Amino acid sequence: EPEVTQTPSHQVTQMGQEVILRCVPISNHLYFYWYRQILGQKVEFLVSFYNNEISEKSEIFDDQFSVERPDGSNFTLKIRSTKLEDSAMYFCASSGDGQIREAFFGQGTRLTVV
Amino acid sequence: AQSVTQLGSHVSVSEGALVLLRCNYSSSVPPYLFWYVQYPNQGLQLLLKYTSAATLVKGINGFEAEFKKSETSFHLTKPSAHMSDAAEYFCAVSTSQGAQKLVFGQGTRLTINP
């Protein structure tokens, strides 16, 4: 069964460092998303990506964040100059181009900023 | 704007008992509604979805949910709980517009007592 894969499963970084979270969406999907879940809080939408550009982003997704689809298979989230409050579980998701775009989620990357 | 409220951050039932997880939504346009489950150390897995085809929706693992527009609710039920149902459950709403981003509730942790 096709699945969304994320790497690494856990990353520890020092405050101020840049991190790149990687995702391989399901191969025939066209919409890609990043969500995050701070411990004990809701899963929050960060950004959606379609046709090689951001289609929607939340208030959280400021200039510190960027997304890229560098090739035909990977979808990355870059966080520049990480802060302590960026510590969270980051979920990648993808969906097809139907009327109802059911999102398939990866297992998440737990980012810990120290 | 859309929002989801899940009543009860923690629900505990006995094995074999009825499971009822409550979800109320707010949406200015006809919503799509979803229930996701998250098992420990895993990603979000879709349990079921409401997309206006039928108000009673059946999902995987014996779960079902009923869309009640008058009550703006989409409660999740299962007639007989199993130990393997222990997990975190998330209700989410999206619309047919734009990127169809998901807005999640805060989650309900379901514990099954033997």
Side-chain angles (χ1 to χ4, degrees), chain A residues 36-101:
Chain A
R36 79 172 184 189
Q37 185 182 28
I38 295 172
L39 189 63
Q41 298 186 24
K42 294 184 180 185
V43 177
E44 302 171 290
F45 168 78
L46 291 178
V47 66
S48 61
F49 192 85
Y50 172 72
N51 199 24
N52 286 319
E53 62 183 19
I54 291 173
S55 53
E56 189 170 352
K57 61 182 181 179
S58 71
E59 294 175 350
I60 304 167
F61 195 87
D62 59 20
D63 293 343
Q64 178 195 11
F65 295 91
S66 62
V67 289
E68 191 178 27
R69 188 155 163 82
D71 52 41
S73 60
N74 290 285
F75 179 52
T76 62
L77 174 68
K78 181 189 292 185
I79 309 175
R80 289 183 278 276
S81 189
T82 50
K83 305 174 223 174
L84 294 176
E85 54 265 39
D86 294 327
S87 295
M89 180 74 89
Y90 288 80
F91 292 106
C92 174
S94 69
S95 67
D97 192 22
Q99 179 184 0
I100 301 105
R101 300 187 199 120

Side-chain angles (χ1 to χ4, degrees), chain B residues 64-94:
Chain B
E64 62 182 38
E66 186 173 7
F67 172 72
K68 291 187 177 180
K69 184 178 179 180
S70 60
E71 298 177 8
T72 59
S73 69
F74 190 57
H75 302 329
L76 181 71
T77 60
K78 182 174 180 176
S80 176
H82 191 273
M83 295 300 290
S84 61
D85 294 327
E88 183 112 22
Y89 292 79
F90 295 92
C91 183
V93 63
S94 76

Side-chain angles (χ1 to χ4, degrees), chain B residues 50-71:
Chain B
Y50 165 76
T51 58
S52 78
T55 57
L56 183 62
V57 182
K58 295 187 184 297
I60 62 172
N61 301 340
F63 284 93
E64 62 182 38
E66 186 173 7
F67 172 72
K68 291 187 177 180
K69 184 178 179 180
S70 60
E71 298 177 8

